[in-house]
Amino acid sequence: MDIRHPTFAYTILPGHDTITGFNKKWQILLALSLGTMMVPINASITNVSLPTISVFFGVGLATAQWVLISYLITLLGFVLFFSRLGDFYGQERVYLAGLVGFVTTSLLCSLSPSIETLIVFRGLQGLAAAMMISVSMALVRRSFPAPELGRALGIYAVAIAAGLALGPAIGGTISGFMGWRAIFLVNLPVGILDFIFCFRVLKRSQHQKVKWDLPGTILQFAGLFLIVYTLNLVENGDFTLATITGVLAIVTLLGFVYQELRCQNPVLKLDLFKNRTFSAFNLSLHFNYICMYMMFFAVPFYLQKVLHLDSATTGLVLTASPILMMTVSPISGMVADRFGSRLPAFLGSVVSALALLHMTQLTVTSSAWDVFFSLALLGLGAALFQSPTNRTLMSELPSENAGVASGIIATTRNLGMVFAVCYAGLLIHTAIAPDLMQSTELVGQAAQDLTSGLHLVVLFGALLSFVMAFLSLAGLKNKRKTVIKYEKVAVEKTIKVEKRVVGTLSSIVMVMGDHHFK
């Protein structure tokens, strides 16, 4: 239940101790945004360098893409585990431990002697990233009053967008001048600085008894890994083994669902998805990140192999979407705070669909500006959609589930990024032979084939965006009306309580008066 503070015009969300808990809210938001920004940076920093890395180690696209997948799948597979751990052990402690691990594994990635060790160290880096991203939104929610939550989450979305924007730019520039190994070293100064900042502003909560769901965690990770591995086998044309791993994936995920339904302290509370709004918008958020990250994965190959741009220019072109997201997300969050989330979420889905459809007009003779404009329009759609969606998801569930909700949202986001790599790689390989993708530049029919593969990717993304638009209308209540209705009920209850108090005091005064006159 929300509580109205008699002096301050704030609605205090459940789980906040007092209004003084908001004193350092902007410092906390800045500290969390700085660290959280490194997670999407490292999800996108290798995209521009992936063609270079594949040529450097002499491997194909299906192998090189595991540099992305290994990071994303461990990030995805352990987010729910660490969000649960944060509820018991302390979200601040989990975040700080993740920062330390992130800096360490970044150094190891830069020193990788082979593609295999790079994939392993990227997986460990994703594990550390999971510790950070799993609890960050819950910490933001705990630090801000309800009227400012949308704006805070909008700024948090800016940090995510800034990471996606800086990733390609940093990766392209540093890779072009210093080589791909140097792209991971940017995490060291930023991570150390953020650790010092967070250590000073985050107040450590008390320990609680940790209740583990190790079987659920293992089954979840195994199931997701088998799904991704199956898609990778299909991409390589190994359909027999893909059928076997696909069946194992289904069995494993069914085992996970069974474990979560019977477990007393599950890593994933499946009953949360009985909430129609929460379920619909988690699914739409998943689709949105598939659309976005398919572009970050596929477009660099088109820009470098078809349009023959260098890695630095490619990185600058890829900043178009995140720049628009950084600009519009806070505004979109404030609009959701004031008028509700239905309209901006719907418009964002439609704009994203139109942007992706516009990219079907790209040819082998298109310019970098053509791609930049389409990506900018896609960024506008994502900005309109993501802030209202995040606000709704974080405010839809009771406060005791804030950590779990944060973990589910992060899992939804990262699952979309993992599947985006798989889907985009699979669609591209239906149009062009895998061995041709190892060439530095493509011309003639090979360039046309890769462009056709890109068209398949954007058409798939447009279809998902239209589904997002439908989900935004089917699953989302008008949050502004909900808040007004809730406040009306709260006022009515307050009046009833006051009447009872006044009645009790009157009775006491009457009894005392009778006793005095006697």
Side-chain angles (χ1 to χ4, degrees):
M1 179 183 296
D2 288 1
I3 304 171
R4 281 288 179 186
H5 193 278
T7 305
F8 300 89
Y10 286 116
T11 302
I12 305 176
L13 289 174
H16 295 127
D17 296 331
T18 64
I19 197 68
T20 58
F22 301 123
N23 287 343
K24 293 185 177 181
K25 58 186 178 183
W26 296 112
Q27 297 179 43
I28 292 173
L29 179 61
L30 177 60
L32 294 172
S33 298
L34 181 63
T36 301
M37 185 171 60
M38 293 195 299
V39 177
I41 282 179
N42 284 269
S44 61
I45 198 170
T46 58
N47 289 36
V48 178
S49 302
L50 201 60
T52 304
I53 292 173
S54 64
V55 173
F56 180 88
F57 288 114
V59 297
L61 174 62
T63 301
Q65 71 185 32
W66 278 94
V67 175
L68 297 176
I69 292 175
S70 61
Y71 175 83
L72 293 173
I73 201 169
T74 51
L75 172 60
L76 166 68
F78 288 95
V79 160
L80 290 175
F81 172 78
F82 287 122
S83 66
R84 185 68 174 164
L85 179 63
D87 287 339
F88 291 104
Y89 186 67
Q91 293 157 348
E92 303 85 357
R93 294 183 180 88
V94 172
Y95 186 87
L96 291 171
L99 269 175
V100 174
F102 199 85
V103 171
T104 303
T105 52
S106 297
L107 179 61
L108 293 175
C109 286
S110 69
L111 300 174
S112 300
S114 65
I115 188 67
E116 291 80 10
T117 54
L118 177 59
I119 290 172
V120 170
F121 290 146
R122 282 281 285 173
L124 293 176
Q125 188 185 41
L127 187 69
M131 300 178 72
M132 299 165 58
I133 204 73
S134 62
V135 296
S136 55
M137 287 187 72
L139 288 170
V140 172
R141 182 183 190 269
R142 202 177 74 186
S143 302
F144 280 83
E148 298 179 358
L149 182 60
R151 182 169 57 168
L153 291 175
I155 295 173
Y156 178 87
V158 168
I160 299 292
L164 291 172
L166 294 173
I170 292 172
T173 303
I174 295 179
S175 179
F177 289 100
M178 302 175 64
W180 65 266
R181 295 184 183 277
I183 63 179
F184 299 105
L185 298 178
V186 69
N187 298 319
L188 272 62
V190 177
I192 294 172
L193 175 63
D194 190 54
F195 179 85
I196 296 172
F197 193 8
C198 289
F199 191 82
R200 295 186 62 180
V201 300
L202 291 179
K203 180 181 178 182
R204 259 67 72 194
S205 56
Q206 294 182 351
H207 287 265
Q208 298 185 39
K209 184 179 179 181
V210 179
K211 300 178 181 179
W212 302 101
D213 180 19
L214 290 179
T217 302
I218 295 171
L219 287 170
Q220 177 214 14
F221 181 80
L224 293 173
F225 178 82
L226 286 170
I227 290 175
V228 174
Y229 188 54
T230 300
L231 292 173
N232 191 251
L233 290 172
V234 172
E235 186 178 338
N236 287 326
D238 193 345
F239 298 106
T240 302
L241 185 56
T243 302
I244 297 174
T245 56
V247 172
L248 288 175
I250 294 173
V251 172
T252 304
L253 290 176
L254 289 176
F256 170 72
V257 172
Y258 176 75
Q259 166 66 17
E260 299 308 281
L261 290 175
R262 62 186 291 270
C263 181
Q264 186 176 0
N265 298 286
V267 68
L268 175 61
K269 295 182 178 180
L270 296 177
D271 59 338
L272 296 181
F273 292 97
K274 293 179 180 179
N275 185 310
R276 188 182 69 170
T277 300
F278 188 77
S279 297
F281 265 79
N282 263 297
L283 183 59
S284 62
L285 188 65
H286 172 67
F287 288 162
N288 181 253
Y289 272 91
I290 288 178
C291 297
M292 292 296 297
Y293 209 74
M294 282 196 305
M295 296 301 99
F296 285 112
F297 175 77
V299 169
F301 288 94
Y302 168 76
L303 292 174
Q304 294 183 33
K305 296 181 182 294
V306 177
L307 300 188
H308 306 158
L309 301 179
D310 57 37
S311 57
T313 305
T314 299
L316 292 176
V317 172
L318 290 179
T319 60
S321 291
I323 285 175
L324 263 292
M325 293 174 67
M326 291 169 60
T327 305
V328 179
S329 287
I331 301 174
S332 179
M334 287 188 287
V335 169
D337 282 340
R338 185 170 179 83
F339 300 106
S341 302
R342 182 192 297 271
L343 182 60
F346 177 78
L347 289 178
S349 303
V350 173
V351 171
S352 296
L354 294 177
L356 290 164
L357 289 175
H358 184 266
M359 294 187 73
T360 60
Q361 305 303 309
L362 295 176
T363 67
V364 295
T365 59
S366 297
S367 67
W369 285 109
D370 295 329
V371 183
F372 186 90
F373 173 77
S374 296
L375 291 178
L377 189 61
L378 180 63
L380 175 62
L384 290 171
F385 175 81
Q386 287 183 10
S387 290
T389 300
N390 286 330
R391 185 199 188 284
T392 300
L393 290 173
M394 288 305 296
S395 61
E396 190 68 24
L397 300 178
S399 61
E400 59 268 18
N401 293 319
V404 177
S406 177
I408 291 174
I409 294 170
T411 299
T412 299
R413 179 172 60 239
N414 297 320
L415 185 63
M417 295 167 73
V418 171
F419 283 169
V421 177
C422 298
Y423 295 154
L426 186 60
L427 290 170
I428 288 174
H429 276 163
T430 61
I432 184 172
D435 57 331
L436 292 177
M437 291 296 292
Q438 298 185 38
S439 303
T440 305
E441 294 183 354
L442 300 175
V443 293
Q445 186 60 44
Q448 181 61 52
D449 290 343
L450 179 55
T451 305
S452 299
L454 178 63
H455 291 168
L456 293 175
V457 173
V458 298
L459 284 172
F460 179 58
L463 176 62
L464 293 181
S465 295
F466 282 122
V467 176
M468 287 161 45
F470 171 77
L471 289 172
S472 68
L473 295 179
L476 184 62
K477 297 178 293 185
N478 189 308
K479 298 303 294 181
R480 181 62 180 171
K481 291 181 179 179
T482 302
V483 170
I484 293 174
K485 180 180 178 181
Y486 177 81
E487 290 182 348
K488 181 180 179 181
V489 173
V491 170
E492 292 176 351
K493 290 184 176 180
T494 301
I495 293 174
K496 290 181 180 179
V497 171
E498 289 178 349
K499 288 181 178 179
R500 291 178 182 177
V501 172
V502 171
T504 302
L505 291 175
S506 299
S507 300
I508 294 173
V509 170
M510 291 178 63
V511 171
M512 292 179 63
D514 292 341
H515 178 74
H516 175 74
F517 285 112
K518 288 180 181 180

